[in-house]
Each structure stands twice: as C-alpha cells, then as structure tokens.
Amino acid sequence: MSTTRPYSPGDRGPEPSGASGASAGRQVRRLSFDDASGVVPLARDFARQALYAWGWLPASGADQRAAAEDVLLVVSELVTNACLHAEGPDQLQLSCDNKVIRVEVSDRGTGQPAPRNPHRAGRPGGHGMFIVQRLCLDWGVVRTPDVAGKTVWAELGAPA
C-alpha cells in the first residue's frame, strides 16, 4: 500500500516551519534526536507518552490496546530504518486528530524505503517496511528540494 503521493488524500502535508503545535483539532508532538543515544527506546517512550496524553492509553479494550501497540511498532520500525539505512533519525513527529495518527521520521539519508520484494517471512531482517505497509492506512516519503534527507511518514487509524 505504499504510495508515491507525498501526502494522504485530503492532507495538505506537514506544517510550515514555525507553525504552532496544533491546528484544526490536530495535536502535534516533536522529538529531536540531536546527539541522542538509544534512539529507538527513546522514540517508543516519547510515543507512549503522547498516546497517554491523547487518550489512546491506558487502553479500555483489546482494539484500543492493539491500535496503540501498532503505533509503537511503526515508530520503532521507522526509527530503526533511519538508523540502519540513513545517518540516523533527526526528528520524530507525531500528530493526531480524532481519526488518524501520523508518524513522521526525518533523516539525512538518500535511500528510498520500500518493502523487500519478495517478502520472506522466515528470513531475518528486511521486515520493517513490510510491517509498516501492513499496519498503516498509507505511508510515503517526502523530500524537500535542495535539502538533504527525507521524511518517511505513516498513518494509522484510531480504534473504533
């Protein structure tokens, strides 16, 4: 389900530089990884705190718990990919409205993330983007002209 669109249908893309943390009911949290170590657990803890603040946790039922765990897994996969295939992540941005949570990981890498094809479930490695593709409503990559790196984004639906 990967896309070549830089944004999901109806989404106008990332907020312009200097924008406030929320607009039109959308809540936004950002984490900079400047000189941080242990970035994957740091990103998961940051995401978990956001999920608590936004009412996704503590989960009131199995569907809500599964949705929160999916968000944490996608955060882990995108940050891990930035560590393995780019020069590490620069920033994690999470945004949430009543229907969708958007995960964005920015890095300085030039590669293009894609699920390994064919996917081989029994082999180690190469599962990150396959997992993202399976769990998310949509995902993609945004590049800014004349700026090194990219932002990989993924969107997950809120539990019903």
Side-chain angles (χ1 to χ4, degrees), residues 124-146:
H127 305 290
M129 293 312 295
F130 178 78
I131 291 169
V132 170
Q133 177 178 300
R134 294 294 300 255
L135 293 179
C136 295
L137 300 169
D138 203 3
W139 70 275
V141 178
V142 177
R143 295 186 190 275
T144 304
D146 302 322

Side-chain angles (χ1 to χ4, degrees), residues 16 24 30 35 48 57-58 60-61 66 79 85 104 106 112 125 130 133 140 143 149 151 156:
R30 292 178 188 88
D35 299 321
R48 187 177 289 108
L57 289 173
S60 60
V79 171
H85 305 293
E104 299 181 32
S106 301
Q112 181 71 19
F130 178 78
Q133 177 178 300
R143 295 186 190 275
T151 298
L156 298 96

